[in-house]
């Protein structure tokens, strides 16, 4: 872990990454890809130590309230957050100035900040997003070894459901020959529907692989799934997109079940919801 003073914290679309790199160890992580030009080891987390100061300055200067997003590239609830509390400090600032927040994570550490997320949701809008990939707990521990399991993430979703905070699930990646089964999909969907999620984001029943990511992924396949790397190479070569052979069947189940349970499944509809800040009349109705 190393510390830097960043020049800015919010992107053009009001997203922020307090950390860079990750310690969750997910074998498929796209953020390892060379295209992101990371100049340090992936597990050597870069900490933007001045993130709260930069965020407060940015929010004060904004002409209108909006949603602030975090977690798109680096999880805001990695192990180091337990001691550093930079995510919590940023949530305090968002709460103080009346902005909304959309937090994306795989970690149940987000429950530490449930009080702030509830407060933000009461004043404006808060959305908790969890990534779910694998219904089988043992498989989850292989694919995502250093973070809480899918069942624990489901329990996080349930806790936020109980206090009226809306949730969204990212269903990805679907790894060919590993978790691209009907059983896995229906298991994850059952968690989502029981937890009352508003939407499920899925960009394809498959995965993507790029240089940098590919090497780490293939090394993990050799370790945990002997012969699987060769199967990927024969099927996909160096392709970026690696769709499942079961893609059509899985998509049909996904869309049919989401429609049946009145859950959003169009990614762009969900992104619109995540970025939409409630108007003043809607806010007044909350009180």
């Amino acid at each position: 872990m190393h510390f830097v003073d960043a020049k800015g914290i919010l992107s053009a679309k009001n997203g922020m990454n307090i950390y860079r790199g990750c310690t969750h160890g997910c074998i498929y992580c796209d953020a390892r890809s060379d295209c992101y030009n990371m100049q340090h080891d992936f597990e050597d987390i870069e900490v933007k130590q001045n993130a709260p100061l930069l965020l407060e300055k940015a929010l004060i200067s904004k002409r209108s309230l909006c949603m602030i997003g975090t977690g798109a590239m680096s999880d805001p609830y990695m192990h180091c957050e337990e001691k550093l509390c930079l995510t919590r400090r940023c949530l305090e600032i968002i709460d103080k100035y009346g902005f909304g927040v959309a937090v994306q994570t795989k970690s149940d550490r987000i429950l530490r900040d449930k009080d702030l997320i509830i407060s933000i949701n009461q004043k404006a809008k808060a959305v908790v997003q969890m990534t779910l990939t694998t219904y089988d707990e043992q498989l989850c521990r292989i694919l995502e070894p250093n973070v809480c399991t899918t069942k624990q993430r489901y329990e996080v979703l349930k806790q936020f459901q109980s206090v009226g905070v809306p949730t969204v699930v990212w269903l990805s990646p679907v790894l060919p020959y590993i978790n691209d089964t009907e059983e896995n999909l229906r298991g994850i969907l059952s968690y989502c529907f029981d937890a009352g999620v508003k939407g499920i984001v899925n960009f394809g029943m498959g995965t993507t692989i790029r240089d940098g990511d590919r090497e780490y992924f293939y090394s993990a396949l050799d370790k945990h799934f002997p012969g699987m790397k060769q199967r990927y190479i024969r099927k996909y070569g160096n392709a970026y997109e690696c769709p499942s052979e079961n893609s059509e069947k899985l998509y049909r189940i996904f869309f049919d079940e989401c429609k049946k349970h009145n859950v959003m499944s169009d990614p762009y509809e969900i992104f619109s919801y995540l970025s939409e800040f409630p108007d003043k009349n809607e806010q007044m109705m909350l009180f």
Side-chain angles (χ1 to χ4, degrees):
M1 184 169 58
H2 62 283
F3 297 83
V4 299
D5 284 323
K7 294 181 179 179
I9 194 63
L10 290 184
S11 70
K13 294 185 178 181
N14 297 310
M16 66 176 177
N17 283 296
I18 301 166
Y19 304 110
R20 196 167 189 213
C22 192
T23 52
H24 286 166
C26 303
I27 72 170
Y28 51 76
C29 183
D30 177 71
R32 292 180 180 273
S33 301
D34 293 344
C35 64
Y36 298 117
N37 298 312
M38 192 171 294
Q39 301 301 310
H40 54 87
D41 291 340
F42 193 71
E43 286 78 13
D44 177 20
I45 306 303
E46 181 178 281
V47 179
K48 299 175 184 177
Q49 60 187 353
N50 59 337
L53 176 63
L54 292 174
L55 178 63
E56 185 159 26
K57 288 182 177 179
L59 297 190
I60 290 172
S61 68
K62 284 192 173 294
R63 296 182 178 180
S64 59
L65 298 173
C66 65
M67 296 293 290
I68 306 298
T70 188
M73 280 297 295
S74 293
D75 199 304
Y77 287 101
M78 289 183 290
H79 303 79
C80 58
E81 171 62 19
E82 290 182 6
K83 292 184 177 180
L84 297 177
C85 295
L86 290 176
T87 298
R88 182 168 180 86
R89 287 168 60 191
C90 287
L91 289 177
E92 288 172 343
I93 292 165
I94 291 169
D95 186 40
K96 175 182 176 181
Y97 291 101
F99 284 76
V101 71
V103 184
Q104 184 177 349
T105 184
K106 290 177 182 172
S107 176
D108 55 2
R109 293 185 186 91
I110 193 174
L111 292 174
R112 179 201 65 186
D113 296 338
K114 187 168 73 169
D115 60 328
L116 281 170
I117 292 170
I118 292 172
S119 179
I120 293 169
N121 193 52
Q122 289 173 340
K123 296 174 184 176
K125 176 182 173 183
V127 185
V128 170
Q129 305 166 75
M130 299 292 290
T131 299
L132 304 183
T133 63
T134 310
Y135 187 67
D136 183 283
E137 292 286 279
Q138 291 184 333
L139 181 58
C140 180
R141 290 184 177 94
I142 294 172
L143 302 183
E144 302 158 335
N146 303 327
V147 69
C148 68
T149 65
T150 302
K151 186 176 181 180
Q152 290 170 301
R153 292 176 226 170
Y154 155 72
E155 291 167 352
V156 170
L157 294 170
K158 289 287 287 183
Q159 286 207 39
F160 282 108
Q161 178 191 36
S162 70
V163 294
V165 172
T167 57
V168 164
V169 160
W170 289 70
L171 198 169
S172 65
V174 178
L175 300 173
Y177 315 120
I178 297 175
N179 68 339
D180 61 338
T181 65
E182 179 177 347
E183 179 184 15
N184 184 61
L185 175 60
R186 289 192 182 277
I188 292 174
L189 291 177
S190 69
Y191 277 158
C192 292
F193 301 146
D194 187 61
V197 304
K198 289 194 70 71
I200 306 173
V201 179
N202 177 270
F203 277 110
M205 295 296 173
T207 191
T208 57
I209 308 178
R210 290 192 264 215
D211 291 344
D213 165 26
R214 180 179 287 107
E215 291 78 4
Y216 190 85
F217 180 55
Y218 280 174
S219 176
L221 291 185
D222 280 339
K223 180 179 179 180
H224 300 289
F225 307 95
M228 186 65 74
K229 178 180 76 174
Q230 289 73 23
R231 193 173 185 181
Y232 267 74
I233 292 171
R234 287 194 300 269
K235 176 68 175 179
Y236 303 110
N238 288 323
Y240 169 60
E241 295 184 356
C242 305
S244 167
E245 294 176 355
N246 304 324
S247 179
E248 184 176 341
K249 175 184 177 182
L250 295 178
Y251 254 138
R252 185 170 61 251
I253 294 169
F254 174 67
F255 288 122
D256 287 350
E257 290 298 313
C258 286
K259 183 177 181 181
K260 184 189 301 183
H261 289 85
N262 197 30
V263 170
M264 291 185 289
S265 59
D266 181 339
Y268 301 101
E269 181 184 6
I270 297 170
F271 291 160
S272 177
Y273 167 74
L274 290 171
S275 63
E276 182 181 20
F277 189 84
D279 62 31
K280 291 182 179 180
N281 289 331
E282 290 177 5
Q283 292 180 62
M284 290 300 294
M285 289 173 65
L286 295 174
F287 297 96

